């Protein structure tokens, strides 16, 4: 039986594999080959924000006023 994965977990794994900052547009591209290929901008934005709220991504607004997300790094000092 295949392992079940959520859309957000898939997106996080894709971001980790890509290893680069992610915008909403890039998240849409990453989801194109997923089990959820119809994921569009609003859903991608919600998923990115949800991953940021969970502490897995860090959001910042660039000079072009676009929100970009980076993987959160753990320092191990917890």
């Amino acid at each position: 039986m295949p392992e079940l994965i959520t859309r957000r977990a898939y997106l996080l794994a894709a971001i980790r594999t890509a290893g680069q900052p992610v915008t909403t547009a890039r998240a849409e591209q990453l989801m194109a080959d997923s089990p959820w290929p119809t994921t569009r901008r609003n859903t991608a934005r919600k998923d990115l924000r949800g991953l940021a709220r969970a502490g897995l991504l860090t959001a910042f607004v660039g000079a072009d006023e676009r929100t970009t997300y980076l993987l959160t790094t753990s320092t191990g000092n917890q």
Side-chain angles (χ1 to χ4, degrees):
M1 179 173 205
E3 184 179 332
L4 297 177
I5 187 167
T6 65
R7 190 180 63 232
R8 286 184 184 175
Y10 182 94
L11 179 58
L12 181 61
I15 292 169
R16 285 183 174 147
T17 300
Q20 57 189 0
V22 175
T23 60
T24 302
R26 180 67 178 134
E28 269 189 275
Q29 292 171 355
L30 293 172
M31 294 302 288
D33 293 327
S34 76
W36 302 272
T38 58
T39 297
R40 296 295 178 247
R41 184 178 64 175
N42 287 337
T43 302
R45 183 180 301 130
K46 288 176 189 177
D47 288 343
L48 290 168
R49 287 178 180 170
L51 291 168
R53 274 192 308 273
L56 301 169
L57 297 177
T58 301
F60 69 92
V61 179
D64 59 359
E65 297 190 18
R66 291 184 180 199
T67 303
T68 303
Y69 295 85
L70 297 170
L71 287 169
T72 302
T73 57
S74 174
T75 59
N77 295 335
Q78 298 175 12

